[in-house]
Every structure is written in structure tokens, then in C-alpha cells.
Amino acid sequence: LLEHVRLHGKFDFAICSHVLEDIARPQTVLDMLPAVAKAGFVATPSKFLELAFHEVAFTNLAYRGSLHHRWLFSVRNGTLVAYPKVNALDADSFFDQFADPFPDKVDLSWRWEESLPYETLNGDFLGPDIWSCVRLYREGLVDDDFGFGVDGPAEVSALRYEHFGGREWKQAEATMRDDIVA
């Protein structure tokens, strides 16, 4: 792939949908996308879906999100943030306030151009102890770019939750709708 890009130039657009949460090192893909494409689109399950006990009805087991997902994602200060899914999330009722398995908040969608800013929680170090780790998750998932403050969740529509290259999704959706109609 890199040889193809070296010989022919970057692709115009790359799509990575519902892959990052499944793989051991999403950082590798996040680094590679801007190396091979000029722009792109990334989609993952939202934190709302991953913090919900949505598979209890099927399994009668209480665990957050999809069992096979290794990561959950949010956006903080305009940067995509990867959080390793750890067992402590299942045991901490603090996250119940964000859990919402309903379709209007299922996906986190991110459109990027030229670069794809991302980081992993605490530089991918889970420590130095359980309380430090839990604090990092609580602070990071509450104080993100989706309208939640320290007082708990606010009503967040799907249009606001979708992040589109720094613009409100509603504005981007209107622009796209106008382009399709024209």
C-alpha cells in the first residue's frame, strides 16, 4: 500500500468504519490513514453505546458494550481519544448515566482532512493504580466535546454527537443535503 502511494500519490478519501474498536493497536491504523489518504472518515460505536449494558437481554450477563470491543472512543478538545475498555467500567455505576443503547447515539463519526489528531488515554498507560485509572476515565468521558459537564449528562442529539471535522454535524448535513438536491 505504501509503495502504491509512493508511486501514485495518496488516495483522495479513506473510510474506516467500525474497525478501530476491534483491533489491538488502533494507533497503527490512525497513523496510517493520513499517510495513504488526503482525507477520510472514521466511525466507531459511541461511548453511549459502549457504556450501556445492551447485550444483557441476549446473554443474561451484565457487561458494558460489545464483548469483543477492545476500545471505546470519544472526542476531547477536537482530538479523537481512544480509551482501552477495562473491566473496571463494568463495575463502576458512575458510567450508567452515559449508557444509552438507543439508535440516535450509536455511532461516533469523524471526518478528517490532511491529519487525524488522536491520542490514547494517559499515553496508553493504565496506572499507576486503579483509582488513578478510574479518575482518568471519569474525567475524560465526562469532560469531552459532547455537552457533558461535571453535573452529569445533558440532552445530546445525534446531530450534535456526530463530529464532522470541527463543524457541527447539523451544518454539514444541511450542506450535504443541498449538494445532493442541486
Side-chain angles (χ1 to χ4, degrees), residues 17 20 26 31 47 67 73 78 106 121 123 133 135 146-147:
S17 181
L20 298 175
D31 288 336
K47 72 177 183 182
L67 186 61
F73 291 85
V106 168
L121 177 70
C133 183
R135 181 183 49 80
F146 303 115

Side-chain angles (χ1 to χ4, degrees), residues 1-12 35-36:
L1 179 62
L2 291 176
E3 180 64 15
H4 177 85
V5 169
R6 187 183 70 74
L7 294 173
H8 304 284
K10 290 183 177 185
F11 293 94
D12 290 332
V36 300

Side-chain angles (χ1 to χ4, degrees), residues 84-137:
K85 277 185 66 181
V86 294
N87 333 30
L89 294 174
D90 291 342
D92 191 349
S93 63
F94 174 83
F95 295 106
D96 292 348
Q97 63 186 316
F98 305 108
D100 187 351
F102 297 106
D104 68 334
K105 298 175 187 164
V106 168
D107 284 342
L108 166 66
S109 300
W110 180 272
R111 188 183 185 296
W112 58 271
E113 293 183 25
E114 297 180 25
S115 68
L116 178 51
Y118 79 91
E119 63 185 45
T120 54
L121 177 70
N122 204 29
D124 208 12
F125 172 66
L126 294 177
D129 55 54
I130 184 64
W131 301 115
S132 298
C133 183
V134 168
R135 181 183 49 80
L136 289 169
Y137 277 84

